[in-house]
Amino acid sequence: MTQTPVVFVVDDDPSVRSSLKFLMSSVGLQVESFDSADALLQRKLPDAPSCLVLDVRLRGLSGLDFQRELAARNCHMPIIFITGHGDIPMSVRAMKAGAVEFLTKPFRDQDLLDAVRIALEKDRERRERKKEVSDLKERFNSLTPREQKVISMVVSGMLNKQIADQLGTAENTVKVHRSRAMEKMQAQSVAELVKMIAKLESSVEP
């Protein structure tokens, strides 16, 4: 079941929090607002597509520092910055660190809603990719060490006979390992298997 997306708003101005919550609620978005970055950090984040509308200047932890803190905690929630005191170096810094948008007050309601829609879609896609990789890892870990070895050689372009020679086993044995591994990985072809292994390798932290 798909969970309802959540927009988190962090701004220390109560009137801004109220107006942003009203705006986004009016188009059917679920919104939670906080008066500081620390207040949001106390909240257990839901396992659902989400994004953060974040004021740059806050009491306590600033918006840009909070962006760094979330990255350090391996939280990849897309961020939309809002500010009444924006400058180009600040916006460049925020965007380089992965912010979706940097809006200077007063901004058009539609510009914010468009940015939120893009951010939620970005997070939804990230979560789908993460789940796909997690499923692939689970399938790969279900293989025996020999099956893992065989498919790594298959995806490198080796033929069954070459694999058998290198492993010092019969070609028929390689075929059995290969067939079982393909079945466990739910791969319909070698091309599909290659894509699966490439996704697994690209997901490994450097």
Side-chain angles (χ1 to χ4, degrees), residues 8-13 17 32-46 52-54 58-63 66 69-70 73 77:
F8 296 100
V9 173
V10 179
D11 196 301
D12 54 15
D13 185 330
R17 289 200 305 275
E32 292 186 26
S33 62
F34 303 84
D35 62 3
S36 69
D38 290 326
L40 177 55
L41 287 174
Q42 305 305 314
R43 162 77 156 92
K44 185 179 185 302
L45 298 178
L52 174 58
V53 177
L54 179 62
L58 295 166
R59 288 191 298 271
L61 202 61
S62 75
F66 186 38
E69 176 65 22
L70 289 174
R73 294 181 181 218
M77 185 178 2

Side-chain angles (χ1 to χ4, degrees), residues 74-168:
N74 203 29
C75 176
H76 304 290
M77 185 178 2
I79 297 173
I80 299 151
F81 279 104
I82 56 176
T83 181
H85 312 277
D87 58 39
I88 291 173
M90 189 186 291
S91 62
V92 168
R93 179 179 159 195
M95 299 299 279
K96 277 188 172 178
V100 172
E101 186 57 274
F102 193 98
L103 299 173
T104 303
K105 301 171 186 174
F107 47 77
R108 290 172 60 243
D109 288 351
Q110 193 57 52
D111 288 342
L112 176 61
L113 293 174
D114 287 346
V116 166
R117 178 183 54 78
I118 290 167
L120 289 174
E121 185 57 32
K122 186 177 179 180
D123 198 47
R124 188 179 290 109
E125 289 172 355
R126 179 188 65 79
R127 288 170 176 277
E128 285 173 357
R129 287 194 301 272
K130 185 178 178 183
K131 184 181 186 309
E132 183 182 10
V133 168
S134 175
D135 290 345
L136 286 175
K137 282 180 180 173
E138 196 174 312
R139 290 181 218 164
F140 186 78
N141 290 337
S142 74
L143 305 180
T144 65
R146 180 48 64 98
E147 287 166 352
Q148 290 180 359
K149 180 70 175 172
V150 166
I151 66 165
S152 71
M153 297 167 88
V154 169
V155 300
S156 73
M158 294 177 68
L159 302 174
N160 290 341
K161 185 177 187 308
Q162 294 171 314
I163 297 171
D165 288 345
Q166 190 157 325
L167 295 180

Side-chain angles (χ1 to χ4, degrees), residues 186-205:
Q186 299 174 29
Q188 305 302 314
S189 65
V190 172
E192 189 177 358
L193 183 66
V194 168
K195 287 179 184 175
M196 290 176 172
I197 300 303
K199 281 179 183 173
L200 283 174
E201 289 175 347
S202 66
S203 72
V204 176
E205 296 285 337

